[in-house]
């Protein structure tokens, strides 16, 4: 799958944001930029859906599946994301959990992996 090579390329700096967490500054690719990059690299031949939703203790846990369709067939990656039900961070608990799961599923294709642990 040639798309895999593209998805493993470093994300352009213009698509990367930073946030502070626990005193550290972290680089990340926002969900909407992941969406744009997936669309660009796959020519729109991809989709995703939430495939699991569960409340565990005080957390909403979501599973997201991304499917990329190519001449080689369908390529699927899944990942989870969670957020506390009483979150006081930006966004609500469902959108935060979904964003986390979506970005992690994309990372399983290679998108943005260079940002984790220095690359």
């Amino acid at each position: 799958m040639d798309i895999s090579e593209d998805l493993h390329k470093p994300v352009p700096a213009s698509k990367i944001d930073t946030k502070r967490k626990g005193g550290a500054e972290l680089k990340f690719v926002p969900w909407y930029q992941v969406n744009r990059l997936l669309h660009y690299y796959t020519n729109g031949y991809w989709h995703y859906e939430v495939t699991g939703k569960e409340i565990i203790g005080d957390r909403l846990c979501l599973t997201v599946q991304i499917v990329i369709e190519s001449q080689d067939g369908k390529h699927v990656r899944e990942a989870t994301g969670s957020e506390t039900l009483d979150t006081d961070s930006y966004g609500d608990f469902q959108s935060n959990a979904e964003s986390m799961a979506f970005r992690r599923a994309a990372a399983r294709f290679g998108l943005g992996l260079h940002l984790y642990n220095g690359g």
Side-chain angles (χ1 to χ4, degrees):
M1 179 168 89
D2 292 338
I3 295 167
S4 180
E5 291 177 28
D6 289 333
L7 291 172
H8 278 82
K9 292 178 183 176
V11 172
S14 63
K15 307 277 190 233
I16 298 171
D17 279 349
T18 58
K19 63 182 172 183
R20 292 192 102 22
K21 188 167 185 173
E25 188 171 279
L26 304 173
K27 293 182 179 184
F28 73 103
V29 184
W31 73 266
Y32 57 89
Q33 297 291 15
V34 170
N35 189 85
R36 288 179 179 148
L37 290 165
L38 283 170
H39 193 77
Y40 176 76
Y41 288 130
T42 67
N43 293 314
Y45 292 102
W46 73 279
H47 64 275
Y48 93 99
E49 67 178 293
V50 175
T51 59
K53 188 175 187 178
E54 184 176 4
I55 294 178
I56 300 174
D58 68 339
R59 301 188 77 82
L60 171 66
C61 301
L62 294 180
T63 302
V64 166
Q65 180 181 85
I66 296 175
V67 178
I68 296 176
E69 298 182 28
S70 73
Q71 292 177 338
D72 299 333
K74 291 183 179 185
H75 306 274
V76 180
R77 301 291 185 276
E78 281 190 347
T80 59
S82 70
E83 181 66 88
T84 57
L85 298 174
D86 63 350
T87 185
D88 62 355
S89 66
Y90 181 80
D92 62 84
F93 62 88
Q94 178 150 336
S95 62
N96 289 351
E98 186 172 348
S99 173
M100 180 188 296
F102 178 62
R103 289 180 285 125
R104 286 177 171 178
R108 291 186 183 221
F109 279 110
L111 186 61
L113 277 180
H114 66 288
L115 298 174
Y116 291 87
N117 296 325

